[in-house]
Amino acid sequence: MIIIPDANFIISSLIRKGKSLELFEDNDILGRIKFVAPEDLSIEVKRNIPLIIGKSDLLESEIVELLDKIESQIEFVPKQVFKKFLKKAIEVSPPNDFPYVALSLFLKSKGKNPTILSNDKELLNSLSKINVRGISIHDLLKELKLV
């Protein structure tokens, strides 16, 4: 299973330290999911560390350690690799989400079947226009029998 997580999923995993984080812990052991993301995801999450600190009860050093563990499971793809799909992604997706959509289109062009993981309803609704699967965090956890 190839999953493209959006930044909000990673951020909420760090804030709540609940089932979302368990997904990464489970995957670290079982390796059921191949996480793939645009390289900008890491920059966006790190830019939000002050927000994460403010909303969680973790120290910055704990957040950085957890983020390192999460990022070690993600294959980051440079925008240059999927740039030919950016125009189409910009046309169909919400403004800040086009890199995830472009990456999914690139992977589909290579015969892969990626799923975008997000709780953003606007993003998930836009995916039907391009025949890309989207799934909410809760639905993925149910599918994997983690809830």
Short mmCIF file of all heavy atoms in Angstrom, two decimals, residues 87-124:
data_model
loop_
_atom_site.label_atom_id
_atom_site.label_comp_id
_atom_site.label_asym_id
_atom_site.label_seq_id
_atom_site.Cartn_x
_atom_site.Cartn_y
_atom_site.Cartn_z
N LYS A 87 0.72 21.13 -13.29
CA LYS A 87 -0.34 21.95 -13.90
C LYS A 87 -1.71 21.30 -13.68
O LYS A 87 -2.66 21.96 -13.24
CB LYS A 87 -0.07 22.15 -15.38
CG LYS A 87 -1.07 23.05 -16.07
CD LYS A 87 -0.70 23.32 -17.52
CE LYS A 87 -1.63 24.34 -18.09
NZ LYS A 87 -2.44 23.88 -19.18
N LYS A 88 -1.81 20.01 -13.97
CA LYS A 88 -3.08 19.30 -13.78
C LYS A 88 -3.50 19.31 -12.32
O LYS A 88 -4.66 19.54 -11.98
CB LYS A 88 -2.94 17.86 -14.29
CG LYS A 88 -4.15 17.00 -14.05
CD LYS A 88 -5.27 17.37 -14.98
CE LYS A 88 -6.41 16.38 -14.85
NZ LYS A 88 -7.57 16.77 -15.60
N ALA A 89 -2.53 19.11 -11.42
CA ALA A 89 -2.82 19.08 -9.98
C ALA A 89 -3.32 20.44 -9.50
O ALA A 89 -4.26 20.50 -8.71
CB ALA A 89 -1.57 18.67 -9.20
N ILE A 90 -2.74 21.51 -9.98
CA ILE A 90 -3.16 22.86 -9.61
C ILE A 90 -4.60 23.11 -10.06
O ILE A 90 -5.38 23.75 -9.36
CB ILE A 90 -2.18 23.92 -10.16
CG1 ILE A 90 -0.85 23.84 -9.41
CG2 ILE A 90 -2.77 25.33 -10.08
CD1 ILE A 90 0.29 24.62 -10.05
N GLU A 91 -4.96 22.58 -11.23
CA GLU A 91 -6.32 22.76 -11.76
C GLU A 91 -7.39 22.09 -10.91
O GLU A 91 -8.50 22.60 -10.79
CB GLU A 91 -6.41 22.19 -13.18
CG GLU A 91 -5.64 22.96 -14.22
CD GLU A 91 -5.59 22.25 -15.56
OE1 GLU A 91 -6.25 21.19 -15.74
OE2 GLU A 91 -4.86 22.73 -16.45
N VAL A 92 -7.07 20.94 -10.31
CA VAL A 92 -8.11 20.16 -9.65
C VAL A 92 -8.08 20.19 -8.12
O VAL A 92 -9.07 19.85 -7.48
CB VAL A 92 -8.09 18.68 -10.11
CG1 VAL A 92 -8.35 18.58 -11.60
CG2 VAL A 92 -6.81 17.98 -9.72
N SER A 93 -6.97 20.59 -7.53
CA SER A 93 -6.87 20.47 -6.07
C SER A 93 -6.95 21.82 -5.36
O SER A 93 -6.74 22.86 -5.98
CB SER A 93 -5.56 19.77 -5.70
OG SER A 93 -4.46 20.60 -5.98
N PRO A 94 -7.21 21.78 -4.06
CA PRO A 94 -7.14 23.02 -3.28
C PRO A 94 -5.73 23.60 -3.36
O PRO A 94 -4.75 22.86 -3.56
CB PRO A 94 -7.47 22.56 -1.85
CG PRO A 94 -8.20 21.28 -2.01
CD PRO A 94 -7.64 20.64 -3.24
N PRO A 95 -5.59 24.91 -3.20
CA PRO A 95 -4.31 25.60 -3.45
C PRO A 95 -3.07 25.00 -2.76
O PRO A 95 -2.04 24.87 -3.39
CB PRO A 95 -4.56 27.02 -2.95
CG PRO A 95 -6.04 27.19 -3.05
CD PRO A 95 -6.64 25.84 -2.82
N ASN A 96 -3.15 24.64 -1.51
CA ASN A 96 -1.96 24.17 -0.81
C ASN A 96 -1.71 22.68 -0.97
O ASN A 96 -0.70 22.17 -0.47
CB ASN A 96 -2.05 24.51 0.68
CG ASN A 96 -2.02 26.00 0.92
OD1 ASN A 96 -1.39 26.74 0.18
ND2 ASN A 96 -2.73 26.45 1.93
N ASP A 97 -2.58 21.98 -1.65
CA ASP A 97 -2.49 20.53 -1.72
C ASP A 97 -2.01 19.97 -3.05
O ASP A 97 -1.86 18.76 -3.22
CB ASP A 97 -3.85 19.91 -1.39
CG ASP A 97 -4.30 20.23 0.02
OD1 ASP A 97 -3.44 20.23 0.92
OD2 ASP A 97 -5.50 20.50 0.23
N PHE A 98 -1.74 20.85 -4.01
CA PHE A 98 -1.38 20.36 -5.34
C PHE A 98 -0.13 19.49 -5.38
O PHE A 98 -0.05 18.57 -6.21
CB PHE A 98 -1.30 21.52 -6.35
CG PHE A 98 -0.17 22.46 -6.13
CD1 PHE A 98 1.07 22.23 -6.71
CD2 PHE A 98 -0.34 23.60 -5.35
CE1 PHE A 98 2.12 23.11 -6.52
CE2 PHE A 98 0.70 24.48 -5.15
CZ PHE A 98 1.94 24.23 -5.74
N PRO A 99 0.89 19.68 -4.50
CA PRO A 99 2.04 18.77 -4.59
C PRO A 99 1.67 17.31 -4.31
O PRO A 99 2.21 16.39 -4.95
CB PRO A 99 3.01 19.31 -3.53
CG PRO A 99 2.64 20.75 -3.38
CD PRO A 99 1.15 20.77 -3.55
N TYR A 100 0.74 17.07 -3.37
CA TYR A 100 0.32 15.70 -3.07
C TYR A 100 -0.40 15.10 -4.27
O TYR A 100 -0.19 13.93 -4.62
CB TYR A 100 -0.62 15.66 -1.85
CG TYR A 100 -0.07 16.39 -0.65
CD1 TYR A 100 -0.67 17.56 -0.19
CD2 TYR A 100 1.06 15.93 0.01
CE1 TYR A 100 -0.17 18.25 0.90
CE2 TYR A 100 1.57 16.61 1.12
CZ TYR A 100 0.95 17.77 1.54
OH TYR A 100 1.45 18.44 2.62
N VAL A 101 -1.23 15.90 -4.91
CA VAL A 101 -1.99 15.44 -6.07
C VAL A 101 -1.05 15.18 -7.24
O VAL A 101 -1.16 14.15 -7.92
CB VAL A 101 -3.10 16.44 -6.43
CG1 VAL A 101 -3.81 16.04 -7.72
CG2 VAL A 101 -4.10 16.58 -5.28
N ALA A 102 -0.11 16.08 -7.46
CA ALA A 102 0.85 15.89 -8.56
C ALA A 102 1.69 14.64 -8.34
O ALA A 102 1.92 13.86 -9.28
CB ALA A 102 1.75 17.12 -8.69
N LEU A 103 2.13 14.41 -7.12
CA LEU A 103 2.89 13.20 -6.82
C LEU A 103 2.04 11.96 -7.06
O LEU A 103 2.52 10.97 -7.62
CB LEU A 103 3.41 13.24 -5.38
CG LEU A 103 4.17 12.00 -4.91
CD1 LEU A 103 5.37 11.70 -5.82
CD2 LEU A 103 4.62 12.17 -3.46
N SER A 104 0.77 12.01 -6.67
CA SER A 104 -0.09 10.84 -6.90
C SER A 104 -0.28 10.58 -8.40
O SER A 104 -0.27 9.43 -8.84
CB SER A 104 -1.43 11.01 -6.19
OG SER A 104 -2.21 12.00 -6.82
N LEU A 105 -0.43 11.64 -9.18
CA LEU A 105 -0.56 11.48 -10.63
C LEU A 105 0.71 10.88 -11.24
O LEU A 105 0.65 10.03 -12.13
CB LEU A 105 -0.91 12.82 -11.29
CG LEU A 105 -2.30 13.37 -10.98
CD1 LEU A 105 -2.43 14.81 -11.48
CD2 LEU A 105 -3.38 12.48 -11.56
N PHE A 106 1.86 11.34 -10.76
CA PHE A 106 3.14 10.79 -11.22
C PHE A 106 3.21 9.29 -10.91
O PHE A 106 3.55 8.48 -11.77
CB PHE A 106 4.30 11.53 -10.56
CG PHE A 106 5.62 10.83 -10.71
CD1 PHE A 106 6.29 10.84 -11.93
CD2 PHE A 106 6.18 10.14 -9.64
CE1 PHE A 106 7.50 10.17 -12.07
CE2 PHE A 106 7.38 9.48 -9.78
CZ PHE A 106 8.05 9.48 -10.99
N LEU A 107 2.87 8.92 -9.68
CA LEU A 107 2.94 7.51 -9.29
C LEU A 107 1.97 6.67 -10.11
O LEU A 107 2.30 5.55 -10.53
CB LEU A 107 2.67 7.36 -7.79
CG LEU A 107 3.77 7.92 -6.88
CD1 LEU A 107 3.32 7.93 -5.42
CD2 LEU A 107 5.07 7.14 -7.03
N LYS A 108 0.76 7.21 -10.35
CA LYS A 108 -0.20 6.49 -11.20
C LYS A 108 0.36 6.29 -12.61
O LYS A 108 0.14 5.24 -13.22
CB LYS A 108 -1.53 7.23 -11.26
CG LYS A 108 -2.39 7.03 -10.01
CD LYS A 108 -3.74 7.67 -10.12
CE LYS A 108 -4.66 6.98 -11.05
NZ LYS A 108 -5.33 5.79 -10.57
N SER A 109 1.09 7.27 -13.12
CA SER A 109 1.66 7.14 -14.47
C SER A 109 2.72 6.05 -14.52
O SER A 109 3.06 5.55 -15.59
CB SER A 109 2.26 8.48 -14.92
OG SER A 109 3.52 8.72 -14.32
N LYS A 110 3.24 5.66 -13.37
CA LYS A 110 4.24 4.60 -13.27
C LYS A 110 3.61 3.26 -12.91
O LYS A 110 4.30 2.31 -12.53
CB LYS A 110 5.31 4.97 -12.23
CG LYS A 110 6.08 6.24 -12.53
CD LYS A 110 6.87 6.08 -13.80
CE LYS A 110 7.65 7.34 -14.12
NZ LYS A 110 8.21 7.30 -15.46
N GLY A 111 2.27 3.19 -12.96
CA GLY A 111 1.58 1.94 -12.69
C GLY A 111 1.34 1.66 -11.22
O GLY A 111 0.93 0.56 -10.85
N LYS A 112 1.57 2.64 -10.37
CA LYS A 112 1.33 2.49 -8.93
C LYS A 112 -0.10 2.94 -8.63
O LYS A 112 -0.73 3.61 -9.42
CB LYS A 112 2.31 3.34 -8.13
CG LYS A 112 3.76 3.17 -8.51
CD LYS A 112 4.34 1.90 -8.01
CE LYS A 112 5.82 1.86 -8.35
NZ LYS A 112 6.37 0.56 -8.28
N ASN A 113 -0.57 2.58 -7.44
CA ASN A 113 -1.92 2.97 -7.04
C ASN A 113 -1.85 3.66 -5.67
O ASN A 113 -2.22 3.06 -4.66
CB ASN A 113 -2.82 1.72 -6.99
CG ASN A 113 -4.27 2.10 -6.89
OD1 ASN A 113 -4.66 3.20 -7.24
ND2 ASN A 113 -5.07 1.18 -6.39
N PRO A 114 -1.40 4.91 -5.65
CA PRO A 114 -1.25 5.60 -4.36
C PRO A 114 -2.57 6.07 -3.78
O PRO A 114 -3.56 6.23 -4.49
CB PRO A 114 -0.38 6.81 -4.73
CG PRO A 114 -0.80 7.10 -6.14
CD PRO A 114 -1.05 5.76 -6.77
N THR A 115 -2.56 6.26 -2.48
CA THR A 115 -3.71 6.81 -1.76
C THR A 115 -3.23 8.03 -1.00
O THR A 115 -2.20 7.98 -0.32
CB THR A 115 -4.26 5.77 -0.76
OG1 THR A 115 -4.70 4.62 -1.48
CG2 THR A 115 -5.41 6.34 0.05
N ILE A 116 -3.96 9.13 -1.12
CA ILE A 116 -3.62 10.34 -0.37
C ILE A 116 -4.33 10.27 0.98
O ILE A 116 -5.54 10.07 1.04
CB ILE A 116 -4.00 11.62 -1.14
CG1 ILE A 116 -3.14 11.72 -2.41
CG2 ILE A 116 -3.83 12.86 -0.26
CD1 ILE A 116 -3.42 12.94 -3.27
N LEU A 117 -3.55 10.43 2.05
CA LEU A 117 -4.06 10.37 3.41
C LEU A 117 -4.25 11.79 3.93
O LEU A 117 -3.29 12.54 4.07
CB LEU A 117 -3.08 9.60 4.30
CG LEU A 117 -3.39 9.51 5.78
CD1 LEU A 117 -4.72 8.81 6.02
CD2 LEU A 117 -2.27 8.78 6.50
N SER A 118 -5.51 12.14 4.20
CA SER A 118 -5.81 13.51 4.64
C SER A 118 -7.20 13.53 5.27
O SER A 118 -8.05 12.73 4.94
CB SER A 118 -5.79 14.45 3.43
OG SER A 118 -6.15 15.76 3.81
N ASN A 119 -7.39 14.47 6.16
CA ASN A 119 -8.73 14.74 6.68
C ASN A 119 -9.36 15.96 6.03
O ASN A 119 -10.42 16.41 6.43
CB ASN A 119 -8.69 14.93 8.21
CG ASN A 119 -8.67 13.60 8.93
OD1 ASN A 119 -9.04 12.57 8.38
ND2 ASN A 119 -8.22 13.62 10.16
N ASP A 120 -8.69 16.52 5.04
CA ASP A 120 -9.17 17.70 4.34
C ASP A 120 -10.25 17.28 3.34
O ASP A 120 -9.95 16.69 2.29
CB ASP A 120 -7.98 18.36 3.62
CG ASP A 120 -8.35 19.63 2.89
OD1 ASP A 120 -9.51 19.77 2.44
OD2 ASP A 120 -7.45 20.49 2.73
N LYS A 121 -11.51 17.58 3.68
CA LYS A 121 -12.63 17.16 2.83
C LYS A 121 -12.55 17.74 1.42
O LYS A 121 -12.88 17.07 0.45
CB LYS A 121 -13.95 17.54 3.50
CG LYS A 121 -14.30 16.68 4.69
CD LYS A 121 -15.64 17.11 5.27
CE LYS A 121 -16.14 16.38 6.46
NZ LYS A 121 -15.36 15.58 7.26
N GLU A 122 -12.11 18.98 1.32
CA GLU A 122 -12.00 19.60 -0.01
C GLU A 122 -10.99 18.84 -0.87
O GLU A 122 -11.23 18.57 -2.05
CB GLU A 122 -11.60 21.08 0.14
CG GLU A 122 -11.59 21.82 -1.18
CD GLU A 122 -11.18 23.28 -1.04
OE1 GLU A 122 -10.80 23.73 0.06
OE2 GLU A 122 -11.24 23.98 -2.07
N LEU A 123 -9.86 18.48 -0.28
CA LEU A 123 -8.85 17.70 -1.01
C LEU A 123 -9.41 16.33 -1.39
O LEU A 123 -9.33 15.92 -2.55
CB LEU A 123 -7.58 17.54 -0.17
CG LEU A 123 -6.53 16.56 -0.71
CD1 LEU A 123 -6.06 16.97 -2.10
CD2 LEU A 123 -5.36 16.45 0.25
N LEU A 124 -9.99 15.64 -0.42
CA LEU A 124 -10.52 14.30 -0.69
C LEU A 124 -11.59 14.33 -1.78
O LEU A 124 -11.61 13.47 -2.66
CB LEU A 124 -11.06 13.66 0.59
CG LEU A 124 -10.01 13.37 1.67
CD1 LEU A 124 -10.68 12.85 2.93
CD2 LEU A 124 -8.95 12.40 1.18
#
